[in-house]
Amino acid sequence: MLKQGISLAEAAKRLGVSQSDLYVAVQKGQISTFRRDRRTVVLPGALKDYQIRRSLISEYKL
């Protein structure tokens, strides 16, 4: 089964963050990525997991 992936630029758009913020999250290991055809991509599930964790943290801070 081939892994489908989302480009980092598209992932940033879907999250509503800048590409720089997304790269920081990737470097910190907050979003899982993999290499496909020499490009770094994000699995849709990893993106969804990050969104859930981020929303839980923002709710906790309230």
Side-chain angles (χ1 to χ4, degrees):
M1 182 170 131
L2 281 175
K3 287 184 180 179
Q4 296 290 332
I6 301 167
S7 71
L8 293 178
E10 178 64 25
K13 286 180 190 175
R14 290 185 186 189
L15 290 174
V17 300
S18 68
Q19 286 187 28
S20 297
D21 289 340
L22 182 73
Y23 291 136
V24 169
V26 168
Q27 285 181 328
K28 288 182 176 181
Q30 296 171 342
I31 300 175
S32 300
T33 60
F34 68 97
R35 302 284 291 181
R36 185 184 77 194
D37 299 330
R38 295 182 156 180
R39 298 180 67 197
T40 302
V41 294
V42 179
L43 284 173
L47 198 60
K48 187 70 174 170
D49 290 344
Y50 178 73
Q51 287 176 310
I52 291 169
R53 285 193 313 272
R54 206 170 79 165
S55 70
L56 291 174
I57 290 171
S58 65
E59 288 176 17
Y60 178 74
K61 288 181 179 179
L62 296 175

